[in-house]
Amino acid sequence: MRKIISLILLGIVCVGIIFALYSIPFGKDKIKVGKHYIYNGIKETGAVNIVTSVVLNYRGFDTLGEVTILFIAALGLGVVLYGKKKKRKEGLEPASLVLYTGCRFLFPLILLFGAYIFIHGHLTPGGGFQGGAIIASGFLLSYLGCPRKWISKERFNITESLGGLVFVIMGLIGLTIGGYFLSNFLPKGIANTLFSAGIIPILYCAVGFKVGAELAGIIYNMIE
Amino acid sequence: MILITILLIAFGGAFVTYLAGKISGKLRNILAVLVSLALVVLISLIYRREISREYYTLPFLNLKLILMSNPLSWFFAIIIAGIGLLSILYSLEYMKDKERLDYYYFTLLFINASMLGTVISGDLLSFFIFWEIMSWSTYLLISYKGGKAIAAGLKYIIMSIIGSLAMLLVIISLYSRYGTMEISAIASYMQTASIGYTLFILITSSLSFVIINAFWPLHTWLPDAHAEAVSPFSSVLSAVLVRKGIYGLYLFMYVILGLNILNKLHVGFISFSSVLCGIGAVTIVFAAFTALVQEDSKRILAWSTVGQGGYMLLGIVFATASGMTGGMFHVLNHCIYIALLFFVAGAIEHRTGGIRNINELGGLIKRMPVTFIAALVGISGLIGIPLTNGFVSKWLIYKTLILGNHPFLAFAAFVGTWGTVLYGYKFIHNIFLGQLPEKYKHIKEAPLLMQLPMILLTVTVILFGVLPGIPLRVISAIQRQVALPPLQTTLFGIPKEAGELNMINVLFAILISCFIVWLLFRRAAKSVPVQQDDSYAAGSYVPKEKYHYTVNFYNPLSKMITPYLRDVASLFYLNIARGTQRVCNIIRRVYVGEVGYYAMYIVLFLAFLIFIQMFF
Amino acid sequence: MLSPVLLIAIPLGFSFLAPLLKKGAKYIPPIAMLFNLILSILLVPQVMRKPIIVLLGGGWPPPFCINLVASPLGILLALLISLVGFLVSIYAIAYIKEGATEKYHTLYLLLLTGATGIVLTGDIFNLFVFFEILCISSYALVAYNGDKHGLESAVKYLIQGSIGSSFILIGIALLYGLFGTLNMADIANNISYHSLQSPTLYVALAFFITGFGVEGAIFPLNAWLPDAHSSAPSTISAILSGIAIKTGVYAIARVTYTLFSAKGFMIFIATIGIITLLIGEMSALGQKKDIKRMLAYSSIGQIGLIIFAFGIATYYGIFGALFQLVNHALAKSLLFLASGYMIYRVGSKELSAFEGLGKKMPLSSLVFTIGAFSLIGLPPFAGFMSKISIISAGIKANNTALFVFVIIVLFATIIEGCYFFRVVQNLYFKKSRDPAHNCVRDGCPTTQKSEMPISALIPIIILALLIVAIGIYPRLVTGIIESAAIGLMDKVGYIHQILGIF
């Protein structure tokens, strides 16, 4: 009975959405804001990667919010798991030599790759979130492969907070110098070079570190 | 300005008294007396002065709040202030050893202040605001004693909220129609309102007044509340607070609508007034007989408060000179003697350690003579024996009913009085006459501070009974204010043209007949005091403790009438309350506690929205 | 330099700072909220003259960039949030002792930041982001106590909340697909051209109302609320009730008035409000045991009243709604805070355990009573003023349906009176039971007084004083509420201010 009712309800919603989508022009070049970003993005922000220009310049405030959401998720997990720590199993079997060596070998490489991704976020596809995720995967590997080499959670917390602070402080500096919160107060430089697009690379570094630390912290919490 | 001063002193005094209580109990008591005394003085100063003054502007509704004073409000204001002062005086001794006294005095003063506020407000919004403040502060004091008083308080506040919300509906509706809440302005607008609207206004607003004045069938809160409150406050409740209902009815019926409109409101022979008359008559009879079967001294008085309200109603609905005057005068008289009687009940409670069941008492006349005289005079006033104030007002009301050709109403009023005689006698007899129980052998007279208010009120009962002209002048001023025919009065009563009543003649007649009776008794043989055992038990042993011959007073009559006195209204409300609780419990089950359902609710809502938007 | 963006940026910065401070973290929220409070008070005169439009990012003109709109409405709510947030955070200094305290304080500050962002932003997607900040931090905080109930209700809240959020996202996507813009003024501008005929708009509106309705606790969508309120720490219940659900209501009002200006739809909103009101109040009356749950149901009822007032769709209605919103935020947070320590002291949420507390905790009981009276709408407390303005708005609208609704509102007030007086009489007039009764924690009360710690007492006393002050002198807040109401009604002005300044 419940299922039938649910089905009917979903059917109505479905019909509604179909009607709604009917009048939305798909694939047509009508998107007002998007067009503006595509044609003026590089000129206005100096970032070659338009996605980045949108993420960190036009809608940089949203990004700050999203970083915060991730931050909250990590904190929230900490709150929920607080006081539920089981004792770590003492007799952990060490990983095999191959795995151990592999981990130690790959770990810096992964970090480096992650860093590359977020530092070049304004030039190539990718950015802080992606880079951060890659870094976190490096930590996951290290947790799984070499359990002895755990990095203390404190450091993650500090990195996390600093990343967030840098973002906010950059915004405030922007407010003081440029008159707008998060305004691009550094010179835009020449497009396609590493040191271009003003504060975008700095923000992306902050985001990268923060996301990396957060995700790693979450993994740490979950493993424990 | 003086009105604002009155309000400031009344409310500010309450707060200051509370704070003073934190420092010392004596200071608090002195302050409480001073504040209420100051109010009496200030209010007597504004006698015969018509003042109207804006004191506050409510920004968002764009309303000016007004205070005013006119004969009607002065009449009620002086009653409130006077009884307030006396009850504070009485409390000094009565409440001595009770706990939370700061709270008690604060609330009592606060209630007095809010009652004053209601009568001197010149617009309906301030009237309502003070009314609501009065409701909740009264609630706080009714429940003060805990125990049974809690349920009584809850019953009171719920009924009172219902009433005041009905009133809120009325005043907001008037406001949105006419854009003002000033009583005089609304009165002039209402002259042109349609009959249906007028009826809506009148009936809805009457609801709250009928509740507060405890007319049948909305009386159910009163007996509990009055019986369970502390005695000084019971007297305030009975004497003043309840009569705010009469004030409100008068305000809406005569000040705002006026006689012309009231006369238009009828369907066939049923009119608004005739319905009120019916209610009044039923209230009188029902309450009188219920009081008859009560065994609790304060409950008897509480029921009599209900019943006497009916007389006032019967008086004021007939807009004739004598009816209106009688009704209003009865408000004053009832206030005086019922306050007195509650003081008496309180004094007995105080001395006997909280005994209210009159069957356990008896013979206290020897121990508490002053209290006895107070009770005797009070009960005489309640019954309406000549030379007490109750006689004059009841006489006016009877005259109205008889001259107005209302045999049934008059009959009901008479029956009510018979009932009053019976329970009045029972009250006096069971408490003061008869055998003094062993345990009360060493009881003392009430303390002086408690006697003082009682003596004052006793004297007033007699004074207004002999010289009714004093209060009647004030009342005729009210009549003039609302353009109703005033009753001509002299100092001793009513002149010949208006239907003669001269209390000084009655006084002399009674004095002379008393003298003759006294002479006759002097001539007759001397009586010989006999021991009770000799006369009643023929010399056999009488157990002193258990035996008490005043139990089951009026037993045959009680047996006869009790089946008819089931409080149907009360049961009805109880059922409503239970039903509501049950429904609420069922409603609460909507929150089943399972997320699956909740998610479905959300989708349901969305689907519903889409559905109605698609099709409408 | 008094940019409204600081209202968001500073708390955000502080909350990133908080985890670094460990023990000192508990002082961070009061500092940040005090800053916000002062800033928003300073902004009030400026905003009353003309709303401030704040551009963010590159400073490109809207709609190309995110912008904040510090309108009277936004600042009013920001002020309310910072005020309540400040007081509650002071209370929390002593109240929150166990658990991951520095995480608590960080999350708490973030929740308030999210709420501030919601009321200030002028961009629909940005609004969604802040909504998520608010919701996710409240999910975590509901579970803060770490017991089974807390986790269970947090998960329930999480599920329903995320359904709601995804609905909002769908709504945003539909609008973006239709108009290619996310700026609210721009969308509103476009919708005025379209008029509300396109089914897409219908459906988007439905999604928005459902989505925001979950956080705003309108009737069938509010099932998370009683659980969440009753199992969260009292400070969080206070914030959820006082602030979080208000933002949902704000969002609904914003969407219906500014975005869609759906006049014909309003009577429907009023109906929903009335149903919510009735169900909430009746459930509260039916709830005789758990006091926090009772307060939560009463919140539902009050939200219903606010939504009803929004649904009246006249200036007076909106005024009443905003006024009631402010008063309810003050009163309900007061009630939750007061009951917080009472529950702590008696060791039980049972209503019957509160018997005779009036003697042991006189001040807390007094302020509880003031809050309760204000909610019932008794003069001279703040709630009376707002209730009377709602009722007068309803009658003034001159609509039979609304008149009937007003009578229902009055009826609901009676119910409200019943259950609040029930608590008040428990506090004051019933004799307290055996002192050892229900006592589980250390420091449980014996017969003597055991008032709250002073740092917890000050905030609730301030709240109580505010309630009385507003009740006696409503002009304290009515000025800004009036301009906020005018601002919300004036859709054309809103569009003009944001799009027309360049």
Side-chain angles (χ1 to χ4, degrees):
Chain A
M1 188 58 198
R2 226 173 100 190
K3 279 181 187 162
I4 296 171
I5 295 175
S6 313
L7 271 180
I8 294 170
L9 294 178
L10 286 176
I12 295 174
V13 174
C14 195
V15 170
I17 295 179
I18 290 171
F19 270 112
L21 292 179
Y22 203 68
S23 56
I24 289 181
F26 269 113
K28 287 181 195 151
D29 188 21
K30 203 191 160 193
I31 305 293
K32 177 176 170 183
V33 185
K35 212 155 61 181
H36 178 89
Y37 293 154
I38 291 169
Y39 294 126
N40 303 328
I42 300 175
K43 195 172 66 201
E44 284 180 354
T45 64
V48 182
N49 184 351
I50 293 171
V51 174
T52 303
S53 73
V54 171
V55 167
L56 280 184
N57 193 305
Y58 293 107
R59 306 198 67 85
F61 203 54
D62 277 350
T63 310
L64 179 57
E66 279 143 20
V67 171
T68 315
I69 291 175
L70 204 58
F71 179 58
I72 294 171
L75 278 177
L77 198 66
V79 167
V80 173
L81 295 180
Y82 181 85
K84 296 207 169 53
K85 279 175 192 161
K86 286 176 197 158
K87 275 191 180 169
R88 208 187 296 166
K89 280 178 199 161
E90 282 307 322
L92 264 184
E93 206 175 310
S96 70
L97 187 65
V98 178
L99 186 57
Y100 184 69
T101 322
C103 280
R104 295 192 61 181
F105 177 67
L106 279 178
F107 182 62
L109 287 183
I110 293 176
L111 290 197
L112 188 64
F113 180 57
Y116 169 81
I117 292 284
F118 65 66
I119 289 174
H120 286 77
H122 57 299
L123 303 175
T124 54
F129 288 99
Q130 296 86 336
I134 291 171
I135 290 176
S137 70
F139 281 104
L140 176 61
L141 184 66
S142 110
Y143 283 147
L144 294 179
C146 8
R148 298 272 160 76
K149 292 272 172 186
W150 283 22
I151 296 174
S152 96
K153 203 166 155 258
E154 285 303 300
R155 295 189 192 163
F156 288 135
N157 283 346
I158 293 171
T159 322
E160 219 174 318
S161 294
L162 286 181
L165 275 178
V166 167
F167 205 126
V168 175
I169 289 169
M170 290 308 278
L172 289 177
I173 296 174
L175 182 64
T176 349
I177 296 178
Y180 307 111
F181 189 73
L182 283 176
S183 75
N184 202 345
F185 56 89
L186 292 177
K188 286 183 193 116
I190 307 153
N192 281 323
T193 54
L194 184 58
F195 294 102
S196 66
I199 62 168
I200 288 181
I202 303 174
L203 292 184
Y204 250 164
C205 289
V207 172
F209 275 114
K210 193 169 160 57
V211 170
E214 265 153 13
L215 292 180
I218 291 177
I219 292 166
Y220 182 93
N221 268 333
M222 298 298 265
I223 286 179
E224 221 168 61
Chain B
M1 203 54 214
I2 190 162
L3 291 175
I4 299 173
T5 320
I6 289 175
L7 270 193
L8 280 182
I9 289 184
F11 280 104
F15 284 106
V16 173
T17 309
Y18 182 76
L19 293 179
K22 297 283 170 209
I23 302 167
S24 100
K26 257 205 182 116
L27 183 64
R28 175 199 60 214
N29 293 355
I30 293 170
L31 261 177
V33 174
L34 280 183
V35 167
S36 36
L37 191 65
L39 289 178
V40 175
V41 172
L42 279 174
I43 288 170
S44 4
L45 282 182
I46 55 169
Y47 177 54
R48 297 249 156 158
R49 275 171 65 190
E50 301 247 352
I51 314 173
S52 169
R53 191 186 164 84
E54 290 166 15
Y55 68 103
Y56 196 83
T57 316
L58 210 55
F60 53 95
L61 292 174
N62 200 11
L63 272 180
K64 295 200 168 62
L65 300 189
I66 299 166
L67 291 180
M68 59 151 196
S69 128
N70 53 32
L72 178 65
S73 54
W74 190 84
F75 177 69
F76 278 94
I78 195 75
I79 294 180
I80 292 164
I83 296 292
L85 174 64
L86 292 180
S87 64
I88 291 273
L89 275 179
Y90 186 84
S91 311
L92 294 182
E93 198 64 38
Y94 181 83
M95 299 297 293
K96 218 171 178 181
D97 312 318
K98 306 267 164 53
E99 52 180 1
R100 281 199 279 184
L101 283 182
D102 302 339
Y103 170 82
Y104 170 79
Y105 283 107
F106 166 74
T107 329
L108 193 55
L109 285 173
F110 201 73
I111 293 169
N112 278 337
S114 55
M115 288 195 295
L116 275 178
T118 52
V119 293
I120 61 172
S121 42
D123 64 306
L124 290 177
L125 188 65
S126 6
F127 177 71
F128 177 76
I129 290 177
F130 289 122
W131 184 278
E132 277 282 69
I133 295 177
M134 178 184 92
S135 298
W136 63 254
S137 46
T138 309
Y139 159 73
L140 290 180
L141 202 46
I142 288 178
S143 301
Y144 168 80
K145 266 206 304 197
K148 271 189 207 160
I150 296 172
L154 199 61
K155 212 176 192 179
Y156 162 73
I157 189 68
I158 290 170
M159 291 189 75
S160 164
I161 285 186
I162 292 173
S164 45
L165 289 178
M167 183 156 62
L168 182 66
L169 191 65
V170 166
I171 65 169
I172 298 284
S173 153
L174 285 171
Y175 165 69
S176 62
R177 210 168 235 236
Y178 304 123
T180 177
M181 286 202 189
E182 206 181 324
I183 289 174
S184 51
I186 285 183
S188 61
Y189 284 123
M190 280 309 284
Q191 303 305 319
T192 52
S194 71
I195 296 239
Y197 187 67
T198 315
L199 214 55
F200 160 74
I201 293 292
L202 203 54
I203 291 176
T204 317
S205 63
S206 303
L207 183 63
S208 63
F209 305 131
V210 167
I211 287 176
I212 200 84
N213 209 355
F215 290 128
W216 188 90
L218 297 169
H219 62 275
T220 52
W221 66 272
L222 191 142
D224 292 337
H226 287 215
E228 297 305 334
V230 284
S231 292
F233 181 56
S234 299
S235 65
V236 173
L237 267 180
S238 251
V240 195
L241 191 126
V242 168
R243 297 311 162 216
K244 300 315 279 304
I246 296 286
Y247 174 77
L249 276 178
Y250 197 91
L251 189 73
F252 270 84
M253 284 170 69
Y254 296 109
V255 179
I256 292 184
L257 293 180
L259 202 54
N260 291 336
I261 299 182
L262 277 182
N263 286 341
K264 275 189 247 164
L265 299 176
H266 60 83
V267 184
F269 59 92
I270 298 174
S271 67
F272 183 73
S273 320
S274 65
V275 172
L276 280 188
C277 284
I279 290 177
V282 173
T283 309
I284 291 174
V285 176
F286 182 75
F289 285 103
T290 315
L292 195 60
V293 296
Q294 301 299 319
E295 306 281 302
D296 177 327
S297 59
K298 285 176 78 176
R299 214 167 256 275
I300 293 179
L301 297 178
W303 277 105
S304 98
T305 308
V306 177
Q308 299 298 314
Y311 286 100
M312 298 166 202
L313 191 61
L314 284 187
I316 70 161
V317 285
F318 294 106
T320 59
S322 59
M324 190 68 83
T325 314
M328 286 312 242
F329 193 25
H330 203 60
V331 171
L332 174 66
N333 295 337
H334 176 259
C335 138
I336 295 169
Y337 57 68
I338 205 74
L340 175 59
L341 287 174
F342 269 113
F343 285 160
V344 167
I348 288 155
E349 216 184 340
H350 185 67
R351 279 309 187 200
T352 55
I355 299 296
R356 293 203 322 235
N357 185 348
I358 54 174
N359 289 343
E360 293 178 23
L361 301 165
L364 288 180
I365 181 171
K366 291 169 203 148
R367 301 275 159 234
M368 307 175 80
V370 179
T371 315
F372 166 70
I373 291 174
L376 185 65
V377 172
I379 290 287
S380 311
L382 181 66
I383 297 169
I385 289 173
L387 290 189
T388 60
N389 55 5
F391 169 72
V392 184
S393 50
K394 277 197 177 168
W395 186 76
L396 286 170
I397 293 169
Y398 293 147
K399 211 176 87 174
T400 316
L401 295 178
I402 294 166
L403 291 182
N405 224 350
H406 298 288
F408 291 110
L409 295 179
F411 181 67
F414 287 132
V415 169
T417 305
W418 300 335
T420 313
V421 172
L422 292 179
Y423 68 73
Y425 180 66
K426 178 179 173 181
F427 183 85
I428 293 213
H429 181 274
N430 279 19
I431 296 178
F432 293 104
L433 307 179
Q435 182 192 15
L436 183 68
E438 199 65 28
K439 55 181 169 179
Y440 300 133
K441 275 280 180 326
H442 304 293
I443 226 163
K444 281 192 212 123
E445 176 58 276
L448 206 62
L449 262 177
M450 282 164 75
Q451 282 179 30
L452 183 70
M454 289 199 275
I455 295 170
L456 271 176
L457 287 171
T458 313
V459 172
T460 322
V461 170
I462 306 277
L463 181 74
F464 284 176
V466 180
L467 305 175
I470 307 169
L472 284 179
R473 267 178 66 192
V474 180
I475 292 168
S476 9
I478 303 176
Q479 242 109 295
R480 260 179 238 118
Q481 176 204 340
V482 294
L484 290 173
L487 188 72
Q488 290 166 305
T489 54
T490 62
L491 184 58
F492 302 115
I494 301 156
K496 217 164 195 172
E497 310 88 79
E500 190 176 8
L501 176 70
N502 192 338
M503 290 316 294
I504 209 80
N505 294 349
V506 180
L507 175 68
F508 282 122
I510 288 179
L511 282 183
I512 291 167
S513 46
C514 282
F515 183 68
I516 294 169
V517 171
W518 181 75
L519 276 184
L520 283 177
F521 269 91
R522 281 297 294 267
R523 304 273 304 163
K526 283 254 166 72
S527 59
V528 186
V530 209
Q531 282 298 310
Q532 184 189 8
D533 304 356
D534 298 342
S535 70
Y536 191 81
S540 70
Y541 172 70
V542 178
K544 290 261 187 219
E545 268 316 301
K546 286 180 186 166
Y547 169 75
H548 199 284
Y549 74 95
T550 54
V551 178
N552 284 339
F553 231 64
Y554 309 132
N555 196 17
L557 179 63
S558 301
K559 268 189 193 151
M560 218 158 73
I561 57 175
T562 314
Y564 302 103
L565 292 178
R566 270 182 61 222
D567 205 341
V568 188
S570 187
L571 285 177
F572 178 63
Y573 303 137
L574 203 64
N575 281 334
I576 288 187
R578 283 205 191 116
T580 319
Q581 273 285 358
R582 212 168 296 144
V583 171
C584 290
N585 260 330
I586 294 168
I587 294 265
R588 203 161 58 85
R589 303 269 157 75
V590 171
Y591 303 106
V592 282
E594 202 183 310
V595 188
Y597 278 101
Y598 294 163
M600 204 167 90
Y601 287 165
I602 298 177
V603 179
L604 172 82
F605 187 73
L606 178 67
F608 178 66
L609 278 184
I610 291 177
F611 185 77
I612 61 156
Q613 285 178 342
M614 285 288 166
F615 294 97
F616 298 105
Chain C
M1 271 320 290
L2 291 179
S3 172
V5 74
L6 293 178
L7 289 175
I8 301 169
I10 296 295
L12 206 54
F14 270 115
S15 54
F16 288 135
L17 194 66
L20 298 180
L21 291 179
K22 299 285 164 222
K23 287 284 156 202
K26 61 184 173 186
Y27 299 111
I28 291 284
I31 294 172
M33 280 299 123
L34 186 64
F35 171 81
N36 264 16
L37 186 61
I38 294 170
L39 180 59
S40 35
I41 291 175
L42 289 178
L43 281 172
V44 165
Q46 211 177 333
V47 164
M48 295 274 275
R49 257 175 280 131
K50 188 169 174 293
I52 308 171
I53 315 291
V54 185
L55 304 176
L56 298 169
W60 325 113
F64 301 113
C65 211
I66 297 173
N67 62 311
L68 300 185
V69 185
S71 57
L73 177 58
I75 287 294
L76 168 73
L77 293 178
L79 189 61
L80 186 70
I81 291 165
S82 48
L83 176 69
V84 175
F86 173 62
L87 294 174
V88 173
S89 63
I90 289 180
Y91 182 95
I93 290 177
Y95 183 73
I96 298 293
K97 282 193 211 116
E98 295 152 7
T101 50
E102 85 273 6
K103 291 203 172 67
Y104 166 87
H105 292 291
T106 316
L107 284 172
Y108 171 79
L109 191 53
L110 284 168
L111 193 157
L112 292 174
T113 316
T116 317
I118 292 172
V119 298
L120 287 179
T121 187
D123 185 288
I124 188 90
F125 188 76
N126 197 232
L127 191 142
F128 172 73
V129 170
F130 280 114
F131 222 84
E132 285 296 287
I133 292 182
L134 175 110
C135 288
I136 297 178
S137 37
S138 52
Y139 304 148
L141 285 171
V142 165
Y144 181 76
N145 276 349
D147 52 354
K148 192 169 143 275
H149 287 292
L151 281 178
E152 187 190 333
S153 47
V155 170
K156 280 182 189 168
Y157 183 18
L158 173 71
I159 292 172
Q160 294 171 61
S162 14
I163 295 175
S165 303
S166 48
F167 281 177
I168 300 171
L169 198 57
I170 295 174
I172 294 174
L174 288 175
L175 286 186
Y176 184 73
L178 206 55
F179 304 124
T181 176
L182 290 171
N183 186 291
M184 290 209 272
D186 202 20
I187 295 173
N189 195 17
N190 280 319
I191 289 178
S192 340
Y193 289 133
H194 270 70
S195 79
L196 200 71
Q197 290 307 315
S198 157
T200 312
L201 289 179
Y202 282 149
V203 174
L205 181 58
F207 272 108
F208 275 129
I209 289 183
T210 317
F212 289 124
V214 172
E215 186 61 28
I218 59 180
F219 165 54
L221 319 175
N222 51 18
W224 58 271
L225 192 141
D227 292 333
H229 279 55
S230 98
S231 50
S234 288
T235 44
I236 296 309
S237 319
I239 285 297
L240 282 181
S241 213
I243 302 297
I245 48 180
K246 301 300 177 349
T247 57
V249 174
Y250 162 82
I252 292 178
R254 201 34 118 194
V255 164
T256 44
Y257 277 100
T258 307
L259 235 52
F260 290 88
S261 64
K263 278 271 187 286
F265 191 63
M266 281 308 172
I267 187 75
F268 181 71
I269 296 272
T271 318
I272 294 175
I274 281 296
I275 295 173
T276 312
L277 171 68
L278 262 187
I279 301 267
E281 301 293 13
M282 292 179 85
S283 307
L285 185 63
Q287 177 57 257
K288 275 185 262 183
K289 283 189 185 140
D290 184 340
I291 180 150
K292 285 181 81 177
R293 206 171 263 272
M294 190 196 90
L295 291 177
Y297 284 128
S298 136
S299 283
I300 295 179
Q302 295 283 327
I303 286 293
L305 183 59
I306 296 170
I307 290 181
F308 160 69
F310 271 124
I312 295 172
T314 58
Y315 159 72
Y316 299 102
I318 296 177
F319 173 83
L322 291 175
F323 201 1
Q324 175 73 14
L325 192 149
V326 172
N327 291 339
H328 177 241
L330 295 178
K332 198 41 82 52
S333 43
L334 168 63
L335 287 181
F336 271 117
L337 292 186
S339 61
Y341 257 102
M342 291 179 180
I343 291 169
Y344 184 77
R345 290 279 191 245
V346 300
S348 158
K349 278 189 263 185
E350 293 267 323
L351 211 54
S352 54
F354 279 38
E355 284 169 8
L357 260 188
K359 248 180 234 163
K360 291 178 202 154
M361 307 176 76
L363 275 171
S364 334
S365 310
L366 178 69
V367 291
F368 188 96
T369 313
I370 291 178
F373 280 9
S374 173
L375 277 188
I376 303 170
L378 297 176
F381 304 109
F384 169 70
M385 290 296 170
S386 48
K387 209 162 230 174
I388 201 175
S389 54
I390 290 177
I391 290 168
S392 93
I395 293 181
K396 254 187 201 158
N398 226 346
N399 179 328
T400 321
L402 286 179
F403 187 77
V404 174
F405 287 167
V406 164
I407 291 176
I408 298 178
V409 169
L410 294 178
F411 174 68
T413 306
I414 297 170
I415 298 181
E416 218 167 25
C418 293
Y419 63 80
F420 273 126
F421 280 115
R422 205 165 58 193
V423 183
V424 170
Q425 70 183 21
N426 263 5
L427 286 178
Y428 281 112
F429 304 122
K430 289 205 175 150
K431 291 269 169 338
S432 63
R433 299 203 180 158
D434 181 19
H437 178 70
N438 280 336
C439 189
V440 284
R441 288 200 191 87
D442 295 339
C444 237
T446 46
T447 43
Q448 74 272 37
K449 280 188 186 179
S450 52
E451 194 50 87
M452 303 181 184
I454 194 84
S455 70
L457 207 51
I458 289 173
I460 58 171
I461 289 179
I462 292 178
L463 280 171
L465 287 180
L466 272 174
I467 289 173
V468 175
I470 294 176
I472 292 176
Y473 191 72
R475 212 172 298 207
L476 213 58
V477 289
T478 46
I480 184 163
I481 294 178
E482 269 163 6
S483 32
I486 293 171
L488 190 56
M489 286 292 277
D490 185 12
K491 178 185 174 177
V492 179
Y494 181 83
I495 296 172
H496 187 74
Q497 277 154 6
I498 290 168
L499 296 181
I501 46 170
F502 291 98

